[in-house]
Amino acid sequence: MRKLTAITILAILAVLAPRIAEAQVDAKAAYASGKTLYAQEKFEEARDMFLKASFTDARNAEVFLWLGKANYQIGEIDKAMTAWTRTLQLAPREAYAIGMLKALKGHTVKPDAKIKLIKTLIDE
């Protein structure tokens, strides 16, 4: 019985392995495309690419960091904050995500400081 179970598991892995590898390639392509679109200031299209990458590459903090940036640029602040929160779950010391979440949650004391921080972080 153990032999049959082992053979079944190996057969399933043989079928799934190429699909998993293909999905990773698709995620990397979507991520790269998203960065290119973001640089061209095509933020909605970039957001769509980062979102696509996030479905397959759900453990890549960079994908969520850029997803947050794109969401922020198109005014989807709640979604940006959600993406940056996910970024910090994966990479707790990611400075950009920390700074943006602090600024957006109002953790800076002076409004001028908040505006300056947001402008600086966007420029990065």
Side-chain angles (χ1 to χ4, degrees):
M1 190 64 155
R2 283 185 173 172
K3 190 173 185 179
L4 180 59
T5 302
I7 291 171
T8 303
I9 291 171
L10 288 173
I12 290 170
L13 289 175
V15 170
L16 291 179
R19 290 184 183 162
I20 292 169
E22 184 179 321
Q24 285 296 319
V25 169
D26 288 346
K28 287 180 183 180
Y31 174 73
S33 180
K35 286 185 75 173
T36 299
L37 291 163
Y38 187 93
Q40 296 170 352
E41 297 184 4
K42 296 178 180 177
F43 301 119
E44 288 183 21
E45 294 172 52
R47 184 254 343 255
D48 294 344
M49 289 295 105
F50 294 130
L51 193 57
K52 180 179 178 180
S54 75
F55 291 137
T56 305
D57 201 1
R59 293 185 181 173
N60 185 341
E62 287 290 313
V63 169
F64 291 96
L65 177 68
W66 283 93
L67 177 59
K69 288 180 178 185
N71 280 325
Y72 183 83
Q73 289 296 332
I74 58 177
E76 295 181 345
I77 306 304
D78 289 340
K79 291 180 181 179
M81 292 176 71
T82 299
W84 288 326
T85 299
R86 179 68 178 140
T87 300
L88 293 179
Q89 290 171 345
L90 298 168
R93 295 183 181 179
E94 173 28 73
Y96 185 93
I98 291 169
M100 287 302 287
L101 285 172
K102 281 184 180 179
L104 293 169
K105 289 179 180 178
H107 289 230
T108 54
V109 178
K110 299 178 183 177
D112 291 339
K114 184 187 301 187
I115 292 168
K116 184 176 179 181
L117 174 63
I118 290 172
K119 284 181 180 179
T120 301
L121 291 169
I122 289 171
D123 290 341
E124 288 179 9

